[in-house]
Amino acid sequence: MSLAFTAWGTWKAAQVADDQLAQSKEQQVADDRKQAALINFWVEKDTTVIANRSLDPAAVWAAARSKTSPSDSPGFMYWVGMLPPCNRIEIPNEVLDDFFQSPLTDEPFRGPYSIARLDVADAKGRGWTRSVSGQLSASSAAMPAPSKVGDSALLSDPAVRVVDLETCGTPT
């Protein structure tokens, strides 16, 4: 009888250890995603908004896609800039159209343009991709260092407004 009780106790202890390991992994994923989860983008009327509700700056690139291109078109990547913490970036659609005019020619589709996705390098250097539908996923793509992308950041356009957010560190 005591052998059966010991076996049952060992089995239960192993179950508890497995549950704790699974919880630890889930917590690590949540911690890794914490900053990137607070960076999002959407369209309001004639303006594209990128919000960084995190307490840290983030390096951001945008995949531009012509609204007339096929939905599976990958678009081109453009350096948006270093998003300041706790800020809302308001980009008039005309600015996107001017900024995203591809110097790479051979692009058969022309504006108007939209942001198809954001690629984000968080404060710890991890890469993330935010889709236009809002889905966030880890990115394995190598992102260029911000110091190597030049001064042609979208944020440097004088028509782009940077507005302080009232709430920071939370998704809403």
Side-chain angles (χ1 to χ4, degrees):
M1 181 70 149
S2 66
L3 184 59
F5 183 73
T6 302
W8 180 82
T10 303
W11 178 71
K12 280 305 222 182
Q15 277 187 320
V16 169
D18 285 346
D19 287 346
Q20 288 174 337
L21 181 60
Q23 287 176 347
S24 177
K25 286 180 181 179
E26 287 175 20
Q27 184 62 44
Q28 184 62 47
V29 168
D31 288 347
D32 288 350
R33 295 171 56 98
K34 188 174 183 177
Q35 180 185 7
L38 297 174
I39 299 170
N40 208 342
F41 70 102
W42 63 91
V43 175
E44 293 177 354
K45 237 179 182 182
D46 297 329
T47 302
T48 297
V49 176
I50 303 174
N52 180 5
R53 293 188 181 282
S54 77
L55 300 173
D56 294 303
V60 175
W61 294 261
R65 193 172 59 79
S66 169
K67 292 179 182 176
T68 61
S69 67
S71 61
D72 62 349
S73 173
F76 296 103
M77 294 302 294
Y78 292 86
W79 170 234
V80 173
M82 289 296 291
L83 293 185
C86 304
N87 276 267
R88 170 188 166 106
I89 313 304
E90 298 174 354
I91 309 162
N93 287 345
E94 309 85 55
V95 172
L96 283 181
D97 290 343
D98 291 343
F99 190 78
F100 290 155
Q101 289 297 323
S102 174
L104 307 176
T105 3
D106 286 1
E107 166 70 8
F109 308 104
R110 295 290 169 230
Y113 288 89
S114 64
I115 295 178
R117 76 171 196 271
L118 292 181
D119 284 356
V120 177
D122 67 17
K124 294 185 178 178
R126 290 181 297 249
W128 301 92
T129 297
R130 171 75 72 183
S131 72
V132 70
S133 65
Q135 183 178 7
L136 180 66
S137 57
S139 173
S140 59
M143 292 183 221
S147 61
K148 295 184 178 181
V149 293
D151 295 327
S152 61
L154 180 57
L155 291 180
S156 66
D157 190 293
V160 173
R161 287 187 41 196
V162 179
V163 180
D164 288 338
L165 291 170
E166 290 181 20
T167 58
C168 196
T170 61
T172 57

